[in-house]
Amino acid sequence: MPINNLTTAAPSDIDAELERLNLQLAKAEQAVLALRKRRRDRIERGEIDLADDALIVQIEQACSAADACEAEAAPLEQEFTRRGGWTRAWLVLNTGGHVHRTTACRTCFPTTKFAWLTHLSGHDEVEIVDLAGRAACTECYPSAPVEVRSQTSRIKTPDQLARSAERAQRARAKAAKAAKAAKAAKAAKAAKAAKAAKAVSSPDGTPLRTKHCGLIKTEFTARRSYTDLLSYARYLTRQNVVFHRASIAEHQEDARLILAALSAKHGRTEDDLLEELAPKVEAKWRREHSKWG
Ligand SMILES: [Zn+2]
């Protein structure tokens, strides 16, 4: 993370940036070494040719990259000095590796590999020792209490912390996705239930088909069709019961099918429903068919 204001930046941010530059510098220095070796080998084999110029350019580029890292790191190091230093901690990278306050600890070697615990930079040493527990170096932290030294280490490297944060983020995203899916499933179920509440079918579950009103899908249509059919049958009866006998019977049969369907759906008797719908049929008759010529 780039440092905006060096004089107010947190030690952990400054050290994290320093560590980033350190790694970049190490990479650049390795590149310089590898390129120089390649050139030396070529010279030894007597293979000096036009490609040598390109190699020299590459070496120069790697050197400038290393210089740039050092130039960028210098003010950060100066800030550390300006503030009179701050606590820093390193973890030795092997099983049971100890936490040290400096890589110059005399229990370590030049070849020892460390992870710089930059997130603990500037933290209270008591806190660092408490986290380190039995991993706290006795040379670096001689005053660590015995009970703290018996604790299991809870030290994490910045890499481990980043990985845990990523895992937590993934878990949160997964939970959010699951919650969203559950919500959608619930809504779909409710919609289906609402549709089922409105739907109507024959008592055996097959679609409710009528001769004069066609396929009836909803209870609303079923009730309206029922009143239409019976009111119209009454009209036909008044017109000429003998002439319309077949049609009257068909309309009444359709109404009977609807009544059976509603009866099955609600678990009510047909008589009960017939009684409920009779005023509607009567109203329809008075409003419409009775007025027909
Ligand atoms: Zn130490």
Side-chain angles (χ1 to χ4, degrees):
M1 162 169 49
I3 306 289
N4 288 326
N5 189 337
L6 196 52
T7 54
T8 56
S12 52
D13 289 341
I14 294 175
D15 282 355
E17 180 63 7
L18 265 175
E19 174 67 342
R20 188 185 70 78
L21 291 167
N22 282 348
L23 295 174
Q24 214 170 299
L25 174 63
K27 228 171 166 179
E29 283 174 341
Q30 258 172 4
V32 172
L33 289 177
L35 289 165
R36 281 191 179 142
K37 184 175 184 303
R38 196 186 303 170
R39 182 158 185 263
R40 242 183 359 257
D41 290 349
R42 280 195 192 172
I43 292 168
E44 275 171 19
R45 289 198 300 269
E47 289 176 0
I48 289 294
D49 53 18
L50 287 174
D52 192 50
D53 287 343
L55 206 47
I56 288 170
V57 170
Q58 280 184 322
I59 291 168
E60 278 167 1
Q61 280 170 345
C63 282
S64 343
D67 289 348
C69 287
E70 283 181 324
E72 232 182 299
L76 303 179
E77 297 284 11
Q78 280 159 19
E79 182 61 14
F80 176 77
T81 310
R82 188 187 71 81
R83 293 193 204 179
W86 52 67
T87 54
R88 284 173 164 172
W90 280 266
L91 176 69
V92 170
L93 285 177
N94 59 33
T95 312
H98 285 150
V99 176
H100 302 268
R101 63 145 53 103
T102 164
T103 55
C105 174
R106 66 180 191 87
T107 67
C108 299
F109 305 94
T111 53
T112 303
K113 293 244 185 306
F114 297 94
W116 190 0
L117 309 175
T118 54
H119 59 291
L120 295 177
S121 290
H123 284 227
D124 199 75
E125 209 157 270
V126 173
E127 183 196 337
I128 295 171
V129 169
D130 186 59
L131 281 173
R134 65 171 57 113
C137 167
T138 49
E139 194 74 20
C140 288
Y141 308 106
S143 59
V146 177
E147 63 270 23
V148 169
R149 289 193 186 288
S150 62
Q151 290 171 12
T152 308
S153 169
R154 286 172 286 135
I155 283 285
K156 297 260 188 296
T157 66
D159 279 354
Q160 286 170 332
L161 288 172
R163 278 199 297 276
S164 320
E166 262 171 44
R167 270 199 301 276
Q169 174 60 36
R170 275 202 300 275
R172 272 197 301 276
K174 202 176 160 187
K177 203 175 159 188
K180 201 175 160 188
K183 201 177 162 189
K186 201 177 161 188
K189 202 176 161 189
K192 204 176 162 188
K195 201 177 166 191
K198 286 181 188 165
V200 75
S201 63
S202 291
D204 63 1
T206 58
L208 175 57
R209 290 183 197 284
T210 59
K211 198 171 180 96
H212 291 277
C213 299
L215 177 64
I216 295 176
K217 288 179 178 171
T218 67
E219 176 153 2
F220 178 80
T221 310
R223 285 172 177 265
R224 200 190 52 199
S225 302
Y226 177 86
T227 55
D228 275 356
L229 287 160
L230 288 189
S231 179
Y232 186 63
R234 190 168 165 184
Y235 165 74
L236 293 177
T237 306
R238 194 184 68 180
Q239 288 301 99
N240 189 333
V241 69
V242 177
F243 181 74
H244 293 302
R245 187 177 303 281
S247 180
I248 292 166
E250 280 172 10
H251 282 75
Q252 284 173 340
E253 173 59 12
D254 278 354
R256 200 196 58 74
L257 288 175
I258 293 172
L259 207 59
L262 292 174
S263 163
K265 180 182 175 185
H266 294 291
R268 293 169 64 184
T269 64
E270 290 186 18
D271 282 350
D272 188 17
L273 282 159
L274 193 141
E275 205 175 313
E276 181 189 318
L277 294 167
K280 309 250 183 210
V281 178
E282 183 63 28
K284 177 81 178 172
W285 166 255
R286 268 190 274 113
R287 197 170 62 241
E288 197 175 337
H289 296 119
S290 66
K291 291 174 184 164
W292 288 8

